[in-house]
Amino acid sequence: MNEVLLRSLTPSVLAVLVRRGADFAAAEDAVQEALVEAVRVWPADPPRDAKGWLVTVAWRKFLDATRADTARRRREDLVYEEPASGPAPAVDDTLQLYFLCAHPSLTPSSAVALTLRAVGGLTTRQIAQAYLVPEATMAQRISRAKRTVSGVRFDQPGDVATVLRVLYLVFNEGYSGDVDLAAEAIRLTRQLAAAIDHPEVAGLLALMLLHHARRAARTAPDGSLVPLAEQDRGRWDTELIAEGVEILQAALARDRLGEFQAQAAIAALHADAPTAEETDWVQIVEWYDELTRLTDSPVVRLNRAVAVGEADGPRAGLAALAALDDSLPRHTAVAAYLHERDGDLATAARLYAEAAPKAPNLAERDHLTRQAARLNARGSR
C-alpha cells in the first residue's frame, strides 16, 4: 500500500467533496473512511485511477452519512449527483483548499490548526509543538474549529496571511520534523507567488528556498544532525540561494517589510557567508530586532539571544537569554551552547543532557546527547 500516494491525493479528494456541497467536517470524515477502505481493498484489487476511486467512494460515504442524519434531510437531493466512475480530472486543488480552510468564521489560529491537520497531514502532536501548547489543548482547538465550520458553505475564502502561516508551519515540519512536507510547501508557495503580487508571499518563498538550499548539508551520512557552523557549504544549493536572494531583494525594495521577509534576510546573511566565522552577526542581530518588533515572538527572542552571543560574546547572549521564560522549547539547549562558548564546560554538559529529552525530534535529541558526552569526555581527561 502506497501511503505517500494516499496522502498526496487526500487534499484533492477533499476539495472535490467540498465543491460539491459537503460541509468540511462531514467531507473530512468521508475521505478518511474512503482511505480506510482503500487500505483494505487496494492490495488485492488496485484501481486504475486512484483519485477517481477515492472520489467515488468518499462521495458515497458522505451520502450515506447524510441520509442517516435526519437533521440534514435537505441534502437528499444530492443523492442523484454522485460523480460518474472513471478517470478524475488531474487538477491540483490543494492551494484552493488551503484558502477554503482559512474561513472567515474561524480565528486565524484555529484556521491554521485545522488546515495543518486536515490538509497538511500533520498530527495533533506536531501542530501542538509548532504552537508551543499542550497536545490536549491543540486537540480541543481543532475540534472547536471543526464544529464551527460544520454546515458552513465554503464560498468565502480566508485571507493570505492565514494561508502563509499554514504554509510556513508545513514547511518547518517538513524541514525538521518527522514528515517530509518541505518540497510540497515550496511548490504551493510558488503557485501562490505566481497568482498573488504580495511582498510577504515573496518573502516566504525566499525564506523557504534559502533554508531548503542547505538541506543536503544538514545531516551526516549516518543521519546525525550537522549544526550550521559545521556544515559543508560546498553542498549548499547555490542556484536555490541565488533565486531566494533575488526574490527577497525584489520584495524588500517595495518597502513593505513583514516577518517572512525579515526571516529571509537573516537566512540570506547566513547563505552569503563563505565560512561560519565570516557570518555578519551584527547585521543578523539588527534583523532579529526588526523581527522582534514585528512579531514579539518568544522564539524570535530566543534566536536573537544566540545571535547576540555570536555578535557580542557569550555572556551578552546569556544576559539576553536570562530575560526569557526558561520553559521555552530549546531554551536549555541554547543555554548549554552559550555556556560552552563561555568556557563553562561542566555547566554546558549538564544542560545539554537536560535538553536532550525535551528535543522535538530524534535527530536533535541524539545531537544534544552527543554534545553532552563530548564535553563530559573532555572533562574527564
Side-chain angles (χ1 to χ4, degrees):
M1 171 56 58
N2 192 331
E3 295 182 5
V4 175
L5 173 62
L6 286 177
R7 189 186 303 122
S8 68
L9 290 174
T10 298
S12 293
V13 176
L14 186 55
V16 170
L17 266 64
V18 170
R19 284 204 307 269
R20 296 187 66 83
D23 68 72
F24 188 87
E28 185 184 18
D29 290 341
V31 172
Q32 292 301 317
E33 289 188 35
L35 294 176
V36 171
E37 188 73 6
V39 171
R40 185 182 68 83
V41 173
W42 285 12
D45 185 21
R48 285 178 295 181
D49 175 34
K51 179 181 174 182
W53 189 97
L54 286 171
V55 168
T56 300
V57 173
W59 186 253
R60 286 174 179 164
K61 297 289 186 183
F62 165 71
L63 292 179
D64 288 344
T66 299
R67 295 189 192 101
D69 189 348
T70 56
R72 297 179 182 177
R73 291 188 180 278
R74 68 182 183 277
R75 297 186 186 272
E76 288 296 328
D77 58 344
L78 299 177
V79 171
Y80 302 104
E81 297 181 15
E82 180 179 330
S85 59
V91 177
D92 185 357
D93 303 297
T94 308
L95 189 57
Q96 179 192 17
L97 195 57
Y98 271 60
F99 273 95
L100 293 175
C101 288
H103 196 271
S105 64
L106 295 173
T107 64
S109 61
S110 294
V112 170
L114 179 62
T115 311
L116 290 172
R117 183 71 186 91
V119 188
L122 274 64
T123 66
T124 303
R125 176 182 60 82
Q126 291 168 328
I127 302 169
Q129 288 175 346
Y131 271 89
L132 311 180
V133 300
E135 184 175 349
T137 301
M138 183 53 64
Q140 293 174 355
R141 183 179 300 177
I142 293 172
S143 295
R144 284 196 300 269
K146 288 182 179 180
R147 288 196 299 270
T148 299
V149 300
S150 180
V152 171
R153 290 286 298 187
F154 281 78
D155 54 0
Q156 297 179 9
D159 66 351
V160 174
T162 301
V163 174
L164 289 179
R165 177 63 50 188
V166 175
L167 290 168
Y168 174 67
L169 291 175
V170 169
F171 176 82
N172 278 348
E173 190 59 45
Y175 188 66
S176 61
D178 302 322
V179 181
D180 186 356
L181 296 168
E184 172 69 358
I186 291 174
R187 183 182 71 84
L188 292 173
T189 307
R190 284 190 186 278
Q191 287 186 8
L192 188 58
I196 299 176
D197 183 19
H198 192 297
E200 272 294 82
V201 175
L204 178 58
L205 179 56
L207 175 64
M208 289 179 175
L209 295 176
L210 289 165
H211 277 302
H212 207 60
R214 304 199 302 257
R215 187 167 191 180
R218 291 185 73 246
T219 54
D222 62 359
S224 60
L225 191 66
V226 180
L228 176 61
E230 300 172 19
Q231 289 176 16
D232 178 0
R233 299 185 178 218
R235 298 183 65 196
W236 289 2
D237 189 327
T238 55
E239 289 187 6
L240 281 184
I241 290 174
E243 182 185 4
V245 169
E246 182 180 0
I247 292 171
L248 173 64
Q249 289 175 339
L252 291 175
R254 300 177 66 175
D255 198 23
R256 291 169 52 194
L257 184 63
E259 64 170 295
F260 294 123
Q261 294 169 73
Q263 287 191 57
I266 293 169
L269 286 168
H270 283 297
D272 187 54
T275 65
E277 293 72 24
E278 296 174 85
T279 303
D280 189 346
W281 286 106
V282 172
Q283 193 173 170
I284 287 176
V285 172
E286 292 174 356
W287 276 111
Y288 270 121
D289 289 339
E290 288 286 348
L291 195 52
T292 300
R293 179 182 61 81
L294 290 165
T295 67
D296 196 28
S297 163
V299 174
V300 170
R301 292 181 183 275
L302 182 69
N303 292 332
R304 179 185 179 278
V306 176
V308 169
E310 299 290 352
D312 301 327
R315 295 195 178 182
L318 287 167
L321 187 66
L324 303 177
D325 185 348
D326 61 9
S327 66
L328 191 65
R330 294 191 172 93
H331 184 285
T332 308
V334 169
Y337 173 75
L338 291 172
H339 276 290
E340 181 182 359
R341 293 261 343 271
D342 195 38
D344 188 351
L345 302 188
T347 299
R350 175 179 58 80
L351 291 172
Y352 277 130
E354 289 179 9
K358 305 174 187 176
N361 56 67
L362 182 61
E364 190 169 335
R365 186 193 70 187
D366 290 347
H367 171 73
L368 293 170
T369 301
R370 282 193 296 272
Q371 295 294 85
R374 174 179 58 82
L375 293 184
N376 283 327
R378 287 179 58 181
S380 63
R381 287 201 291 263

